[in-house]
Amino acid sequence: MTPDTAACDVVVVGAGLAGLTAARRLWQAGLSVVVLEARNRVGGRVLDVPVGPGPDEVVEQGGQWAGPGQQRILALAREFGIATFPSYAHGVSVLASAGRVRRYRGTVPPMGWWTLAGYARLARRIDSLAAGLPPAAPWRAARARELDAQTVAAWVGARTANGRLRMFMDLAVRVVYGADPEEVSLLDFLAAVRSAGSLGALLDDAQSIRFVGGPAQIPARMAADLGKRVRLAQVVRRVDWEPGQVSVRTDDVIIGAHWAIVALPPPLAARLHFTPPLPAARDQLLQRLPMGSISKVNVVYERPFWRSAGLNGFALADHGTVRTVVDNSPPSGQPGVLVAFIAGSDADMYVDDPQAQTRAVLRALTGFFGEPANAPVSIHATDWAAEPWTRGGYGSYSPPGALTRFGGERIRPIGPVHWAGTETAAEWPGYMEGAIASGEHAATEILGQANGATP
């Protein structure tokens, strides 16, 4: 069957927050746009699932949090009349370590005074190194090559032999990337800290705000504004480009445009067939940006039984499959929800055995919170590495050497082809905020060309 043809000013590949932000801004500025999305829904890595009859009774299977300083995502929520509420933090947390389950208050688990002092020194050093990075181009820092030549695990290991402190930093990297600290460049990690303002803000404040009814309402409302300009179930196969024009092809349609924005996770962008081929540096960059592995498991109960026991639902472990658990209940507290994260290499063992994953999650939750945790109403699991139009989570990360060799290519346009996606953001990469910022940046580039410069 011969594909249909259409024309517009800008064709956007991907209807996540980045692509929708770019398309909406360009449309509001008077340019014609078409958004092509492979899934039969919008939102990309933002996905909510209903768990009750009320409009607010959802669980977030993808991106869900915001924090102070993330003004773009919060402004969109206000624009669409979506209320926010604080992450539940009343009561004490749980730490499973060395065969014991202990309760504690505050954001730092009980590690002993010597370990706490070591953590304070390590955090100060991380914050100091991060503060010296150029926010939009960390690869240009004076010590960039030195910092980019080692993993987070190597850097931490060279500074402490304390097992508990190493465990805490291991958890920190898994929380941010869904990857092991042996995989992630120290420079990449410092850039994330720089964006948040401090290590403490990255690990705590950035997860402090939730959205009533779930954040997936935001891309849904953005797509509703764009109407028929958003085309679902359109898998982009090919991008043909030359100076001043681009042609984007799916099985059903060929869209001709003056510009294109590719707003996909890097592994998916790398699978597009570009004619002519991408410049070598851009292709090399895409080859060096793997996705983390994250399985997000929301376990639903009739009520949040842990709260009546004085617990806030937050749990950490230095062993086992489930290292992090958070109270993920809706603002009313009904139903009760605990969300378990299985990250990095821990997620690999359950790729082909979801039933074993469920058993492991319930075993971990029962160990943290007692026997009532073994009697859920429902369980909702999303393995983002298995999602065909994502292939990992939370986002991509840079292994050693990638940023200093190819970081400058992250947002450099290739002729009429521009790039967006949370991985390209100078601020809050890996977060919904970063996705929105990247869409704004790509739209600004194109509007600048449309208003005078040659595309």
Side-chain angles (χ1 to χ4, degrees):
M1 184 176 69
T2 303
D4 294 332
T5 59
C8 62
D9 291 320
V10 186
V11 57
V12 179
V13 183
L17 281 170
L20 292 172
T21 296
R24 192 165 174 257
R25 181 171 177 189
L26 292 166
W27 165 62
Q28 290 171 340
L31 297 186
S32 58
V33 299
V34 172
V35 182
L36 300 173
E37 168 56 46
R39 291 181 170 96
N40 60 6
R41 64 171 180 85
V42 300
R45 283 168 267 182
V46 179
L47 171 63
D48 298 337
V49 175
V51 293
D56 301 340
E57 296 177 20
V58 302
V59 292
E60 304 95 327
Q61 293 298 126
Q64 70 174 84
W65 282 293
Q70 297 187 14
Q71 296 305 315
R72 294 174 179 86
I73 185 73
L74 295 174
L76 278 173
R78 289 192 297 270
E79 178 182 345
F80 295 132
I82 300 168
T84 61
F85 67 107
S87 299
Y88 190 80
H90 303 292
V92 298
S93 303
V94 171
L95 172 68
S97 177
R100 298 174 56 197
V101 176
R102 304 169 62 186
R103 298 181 177 186
Y104 68 96
R105 294 188 180 276
T107 58
V108 180
M111 298 184 289
W113 72 268
W114 182 252
T115 302
L116 287 173
Y119 171 73
R121 289 193 297 271
L122 204 64
R124 286 195 298 270
R125 183 58 179 153
I126 289 171
D127 289 348
S128 176
L129 288 170
L133 300 181
W139 51 89
R140 293 178 181 165
R143 298 177 56 191
R145 289 190 177 276
E146 174 192 347
L147 299 173
D148 198 31
Q150 55 194 310
T151 65
V152 179
W155 186 84
V156 172
R159 281 152 184 81
T160 180
N162 187 303
R164 287 199 169 187
L165 184 50
R166 290 185 179 186
M167 174 273 292
F168 188 76
M169 292 306 301
D170 178 286
L171 287 172
V173 174
R174 290 171 187 265
V175 165
V176 174
Y177 294 99
D180 295 2
E182 292 82 5
E183 300 176 290
V184 179
S185 157
L186 175 62
L187 182 63
D188 192 333
F189 183 65
L190 293 173
V193 173
R194 171 69 175 80
S195 179
S198 70
L199 179 61
L202 182 66
L203 301 180
D204 186 26
D205 293 349
Q207 285 72 236
S208 63
I209 300 172
R210 295 176 61 196
F211 299 88
V212 177
Q217 299 170 93
I218 296 174
R221 293 286 295 276
M222 296 168 78
D225 282 353
L226 291 165
K228 294 182 179 180
R229 298 171 183 85
V230 179
R231 303 189 183 187
L232 302 179
Q234 294 295 321
V235 180
V236 172
R237 308 290 186 185
R238 178 171 178 152
V239 179
D240 298 332
W241 62 276
E242 59 183 82
Q245 64 182 26
V246 62
S247 175
V248 176
R249 300 181 178 222
T250 76
D251 294 337
D252 302 322
V253 66
I254 301 173
I255 306 291
H258 298 298
W259 298 274
I261 297 174
V262 177
L264 300 178
L268 296 187
R271 296 177 189 182
L272 298 179
H273 181 80
F274 287 88
T275 304
L278 294 175
R282 178 74 202 186
D283 196 70
Q284 288 284 311
L285 172 68
L286 291 176
Q287 293 179 45
R288 285 164 170 79
L289 293 177
M291 300 286 279
S293 297
I294 188 73
S295 186
K296 191 172 183 182
V297 185
N298 277 286
V299 184
V300 183
Y301 302 90
E302 289 185 2
R303 61 182 182 82
F305 62 86
W306 54 93
R307 294 185 183 182
S308 60
L311 301 175
N312 58 26
F314 183 70
L316 293 175
D318 64 359
H319 62 281
T321 300
V322 177
R323 308 286 187 97
T324 311
V325 177
V326 178
D327 183 319
N328 210 34
S329 308
S332 67
Q334 298 293 331
V337 183
L338 292 170
V339 59
F341 295 89
I342 306 175
S345 57
D346 292 335
D348 297 342
M349 66 183 76
Y350 299 113
V351 169
D352 299 316
D353 197 345
Q355 292 182 343
Q357 176 178 270
T358 297
R359 291 192 297 270
V361 168
L362 291 179
R363 187 164 55 247
L365 295 180
T366 301
F368 294 143
F369 303 110
E371 193 58 34
N374 200 32
V377 174
S378 62
I379 298 175
H380 306 268
T382 301
D383 180 357
W384 284 96
E387 287 290 304
W389 306 120
T390 303
R391 308 309 296 177
Y394 308 100
S396 67
Y397 62 88
S398 298
L403 274 178
T404 45
R405 283 189 66 187
F406 302 110
E409 300 298 321
R410 287 201 302 188
I411 57 174
R412 192 193 310 278
I414 306 299
V417 179
H418 296 249
W419 310 93
T422 188
E423 290 84 2
T424 71
E427 303 172 65
W428 295 103
Y431 287 79
M432 294 185 289
E433 177 77 6
I436 296 167
S438 76
E440 291 178 351
H441 178 85
T444 297
E445 286 182 329
I446 290 174
L447 288 173
Q449 294 177 357
N451 291 331
T454 301

